[in-house]
Amino acid sequence: MKKLLLIGLFLISQGAWSQKNTDTEDIKILIEDFFEAFHAQDSTALKEFAHPEIKMQSVAIDAQGNTNLSTEDYSGFLKSIASIPKSTKFREELTDFKINTNGMIANASTPYRFFLNDELSHCGVNTFQLMKSEGKWKIIYLVDTRSKLGCK
């Protein structure tokens, strides 16, 4: 009887250790995987992270100090990533994560620094809007800021 009790307690404790990730953890993993695929120029994987109706925009300050908003089609983004020459090195380094969830929607903010051929090109913040459908998080909106000022 003691052996059965010990085995039962062992199985219960194992179940407690193997709990599923929280939504916040799942979103962080999704974003990290997104950037892993981005750096690998894997447009097939990048497509999997996004909802088919994803919207993408960028906010940047031009040489005259004007703030501009640009919109890009996700399929255009995928083509541009896949077409980067292999001789060009690029890396987006995320410096933090702030994730808020509310049921089936979430927001994630990731400050970043972007390096092109090992030189700091610009910095900014990515903001991801996500939705949970059929138990999986998908990116539905991605907007980033881009600046050459204040990058550390």
Side-chain angles (χ1 to χ4, degrees), residues 2-3 8 20 48 58 82 84 87 91 103 111 115 117 119 144 147:
K2 284 184 180 180
K3 281 186 180 180
K20 288 188 159 202
E48 291 299 313
S58 291
I84 296 172
S87 60
R91 178 174 49 93
F115 295 86
N117 293 321
E119 298 277 331
D144 67 80
S147 176

Side-chain angles (χ1 to χ4, degrees), residues 52-118:
E53 296 180 41
I54 185 174
K55 306 291 183 230
M56 291 187 69
Q57 295 185 305
S58 291
V59 177
I61 298 174
D62 66 19
Q64 292 75 36
N66 300 312
T67 302
N68 297 306
L69 176 67
S70 62
T71 301
E72 184 173 12
D73 184 64
Y74 197 66
S75 62
F77 165 74
L78 296 176
K79 287 176 188 168
S80 70
I81 296 304
S83 69
I84 296 172
K86 296 295 181 196
S87 60
T88 302
K89 292 171 55 178
F90 65 97
R91 178 174 49 93
E92 188 156 330
E93 178 183 283
L94 304 181
T95 60
D96 195 12
F97 282 87
K98 291 185 178 93
I99 300 171
N100 296 303
T101 62
N102 187 347
M104 67 187 118
I105 64 168
N107 171 280
S109 176
T110 60
Y112 73 90
R113 297 183 305 168
F114 189 85
F115 295 86
L116 187 59
N117 293 321
D118 296 324

